[in-house]
């Protein structure tokens, strides 16, 4: 017998994990607007606005710029499945979870993955990547994660894209946790295939993956010898839906209401302006880090490679990592993330992304952490963290 179900009322949480992050009320309101047909002329106008808003966010003129109707992982897959053919060599500069997934994608496309492995918590080493490119001159693609959400590291995407170009390679860039929070300059970097996600710095719910492809990448897809292994993600087919001026052909039914949300989020990004959005993320992280340092905690990543939207904080000796997170969720309705892989149990991952990158979130998180640690006998001066964060915040407002 089936169980009786009732309406679902989600608890009201503050989301400061590795994603999803807090959704802006304007985005939630947009999603609640009446659904229309996905081939309705009004929806087609909305699609054009979204593509234009994405070009602004990605800082590109690429005509092949659109949202994949699926989460960031699908954007990743769209890049690999279209650009990598059986036998192709792909260098992956790997420094966390998402680089590991890139390798999985290459293998499933029948390509050969050459992995340049880095310790988790470190940025990608340009010299080692250059060495790998020299060693395998027939490499077709260089792939890397700009903002490693698993470790809180930001790598030098501009320099890596330049290396790819110097060695006649295409670049695939994971910008899931950078777009909207950290500068992503697709055209001036010469990046070829870049994907992102809506639930990190764009203040939207999860479920959509903005992507952009350079003309060079689009040309590579058109000239493939093997058909693309995925029907849903085949750019040649998707573009007949998202592309063409007028005359759209049915490919799949876009998640209409989710697109309303993305549209509103992109509008808000334009209103704030990219530069201010990036400054807000970096400034808020500085305030947060001042706070955690004032309570005796340390960030895992050194200041030069720290990713503004996500801070990994080392768990001090004698503190129960999971019990601390549980206390934050239960008592403060506050979600933070756990460490992954080699960092499991050793760090918390604290997101200050999109609508979550606000001072009130910083103060809530510092207060809640301080409480959880003092309950576990940590020697902390109550209030010091908030005072330090506020003092730092005053420096940049
Ligand atoms: C979250 C994330 C993804 C995956 O996005 P989903 O929407 O969860 O599929 C990929 N890469 C990075 C760097 C991420 O942070």
């Amino acid at each position: 017998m089936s169980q009786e179900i009732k309406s679902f009322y989600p608890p009201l949480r503050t989301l400061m994990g590795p994603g999803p992050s807090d959704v802006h009320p304007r985005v939630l309101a947009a999603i609640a607007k009446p659904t229309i047909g996905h081939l309705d002329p009004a929806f087609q106008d909305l699609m054009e606005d979204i593509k234009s808003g994405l070009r602004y966010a990605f800082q590109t003129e690429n005509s092949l710029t659109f949202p994949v109707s699926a989460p960031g992982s699908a954007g990743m897959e769209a890049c690999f499945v279209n650009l990598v053919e059986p036998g192709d060599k792909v260098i992956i500069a790997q420094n966390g979870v998402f680089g590991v997934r890139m390798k999985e994608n290459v293998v499933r496309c029948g390509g050969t993955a050459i992995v340049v492995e880095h310790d988790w918590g470190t940025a990608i080493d340009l010299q080692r990547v250059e060495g790998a490119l020299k060693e395998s001159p027939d490499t077709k693609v260089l792939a890397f994660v700009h903002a490693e959400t698993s470790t809180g590291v930001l790598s030098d995407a501009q320099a890596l894209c330049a290396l790819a170009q110097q060695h006649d390679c295409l670049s695939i860039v994971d910008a899931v946790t950078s777009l909207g929070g950290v500068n992503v300059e697709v055209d001036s970097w010469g990046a070829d295939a870049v994907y992102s996600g809506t639930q990190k710095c764009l203040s939207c719910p999860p479920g959509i993956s903005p992507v952009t492809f350079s003309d060079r990448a689009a040309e590579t897809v058109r000239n493939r010898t093997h058909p693309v292994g995925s029907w849903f993600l085949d750019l040649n087919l998707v573009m007949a839906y998202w592309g063409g001026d007028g005359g759209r052909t049915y490919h799949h039914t876009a998640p209409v209401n989710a697109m309303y949300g993305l549209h509103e989020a992109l509008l808000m990004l334009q209103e704030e302006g990219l530069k201010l959005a990036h400054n807000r993320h970096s400034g808020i992280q500085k305030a947060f880090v001042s706070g955690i340092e004032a309570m005796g905690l340390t960030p895992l990543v050194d200041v030069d490679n720290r990713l503004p939207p996500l801070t990994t904080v080392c768990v001090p000796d004698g503190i129960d990592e999971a019990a601390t997170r549980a206390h934050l969720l239960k008592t403060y309705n506050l979600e933070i993330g756990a460490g992954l892989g080699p960092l499991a149990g050793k760090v918390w991952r604290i997101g200050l992304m999109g609508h979550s990158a606000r001072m009130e979130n910083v103060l809530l998180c510092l207060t809640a952490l301080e409480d959880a640690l003092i309950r576990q006998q940590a020697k902390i001066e109550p209030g010091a963290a908030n005072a330090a964060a506020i003092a730092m915040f005053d420096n940049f407002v």
Side-chain angles (χ1 to χ4, degrees):
M1 210 182 81
S2 64
Q3 199 187 320
E4 194 191 331
I5 62 168
K6 301 194 202 92
S7 291
F8 179 65
Y9 295 100
L12 287 175
R13 308 285 199 209
T14 300
L15 300 178
M16 295 180 68
S21 52
D22 285 345
V23 176
H24 196 283
R26 272 176 65 180
V27 173
L28 286 177
I31 290 169
K33 288 177 183 170
T35 304
I36 57 174
H38 72 120
L39 297 173
D40 189 308
F43 188 67
Q44 298 194 10
D45 289 345
L46 180 95
M47 289 163 100
E48 290 308 308
D49 276 1
I50 288 175
K51 289 195 292 182
S52 140
L54 288 177
R55 288 191 189 106
Y56 172 76
F58 278 121
Q59 302 183 65
T60 185
E61 302 283 320
N62 286 341
S63 58
L64 196 43
T65 303
F66 67 98
V68 174
S69 300
S73 306
M76 178 189 286
E77 194 145 339
C79 293
F80 285 93
V81 85
N82 281 282
L83 292 177
V84 181
E85 294 198 59
D88 285 345
K89 265 190 198 169
V90 179
I91 294 181
I92 296 161
Q94 191 184 82
N95 63 342
V97 164
F98 294 100
V100 174
R101 291 192 180 177
M102 284 179 154
K103 182 190 170 187
E104 284 288 314
N105 271 275
V106 171
V107 171
R108 282 166 194 247
C109 295
T112 304
I114 301 168
V115 178
V116 183
E117 259 190 78
H118 294 70
D119 288 340
W120 288 40
T122 63
I124 295 166
D125 181 336
L126 299 174
Q127 283 179 347
R128 290 188 54 214
V129 172
E130 186 168 28
L133 284 162
K134 282 182 178 156
E135 220 166 276
S136 302
D138 54 342
T139 298
K140 181 177 179 188
V141 176
L142 168 65
F144 65 91
V145 177
H146 181 210
E148 244 309 344
T149 324
S150 62
T151 62
V153 167
L154 183 68
S155 287
D156 187 346
Q158 178 170 21
L160 286 160
C161 289
L163 272 181
Q165 285 198 327
Q166 281 157 29
H167 293 268
D168 211 16
C169 274
L170 295 166
S171 48
I172 295 181
V173 184
D174 180 320
V176 174
T177 294
S178 42
L179 193 71
V182 177
N183 198 28
V184 176
E185 283 184 68
V186 170
D187 283 3
S188 78
W189 295 350
D192 290 298
V194 187
Y195 60 92
S196 190
T198 42
Q199 83 275 33
K200 312 274 168 116
C201 298
L202 292 176
S203 314
C204 284
I208 298 179
S209 176
V211 296
T212 186
F213 293 83
S214 70
D215 290 346
R216 206 156 67 114
E219 184 71 14
T220 307
V221 181
R222 274 194 295 273
N223 294 336
R224 286 177 62 104
T225 39
H226 308 264
V228 174
S230 160
W231 179 86
F232 185 68
L233 295 172
D234 184 339
L235 284 182
N236 298 302
L237 303 179
V238 183
M239 276 322 284
Y241 182 52
W242 272 99
D245 301 310
R248 285 190 168 75
T249 47
Y250 169 61
H251 175 259
H252 66 282
T253 311
V256 170
N257 291 56
M259 293 301 170
Y260 299 166
L262 176 57
H263 180 270
E264 193 68 16
L266 292 169
L267 172 61
M268 285 174 49
L269 187 61
Q270 290 198 4
E271 286 170 358
E272 182 176 20
L274 284 179
K275 202 164 169 53
L276 281 185
H278 301 154
N279 289 347
R280 171 167 55 86
H281 282 84
S282 62
I284 283 289
Q285 184 191 45
K286 285 196 185 97
F288 178 66
V289 169
S290 299
I292 59 158
E293 286 177 342
M295 68 169 108
L297 301 177
T298 44
L300 174 80
V301 179
D302 63 88
V303 63
D304 293 338
N305 301 316
R306 216 171 275 160
L307 171 63
L310 188 118
T311 312
T312 28
V313 178
C314 298
V315 178
D317 287 343
I319 296 297
D320 185 329
E321 183 277 318
T324 303
R325 275 187 294 115
H327 180 69
L328 265 49
L329 192 67
K330 183 159 173 279
T331 309
Y332 294 89
N333 271 307
L334 171 61
E335 179 182 281
I336 64 169
L340 294 175
L343 297 175
K346 297 187 179 143
V347 297
W348 294 296
R349 290 184 300 147
I350 299 177
L352 289 161
M353 305 178 182
H355 186 54
S356 291
R358 284 174 295 145
M359 197 55 185
E360 52 263 54
N361 280 22
V362 167
L363 298 182
L364 170 67
C365 186
L366 292 173
T367 303
L369 269 178
E370 183 184 280
D371 169 32
L373 298 189
I374 288 175
R375 282 168 195 269
Q376 296 174 69
Q377 321 308 328
K379 300 258 176 299
I380 293 174
E381 188 197 325
N386 274 336
I390 291 165
M392 177 57 81
F393 184 64
D394 283 346
N395 284 339
F396 62 82
V397 286

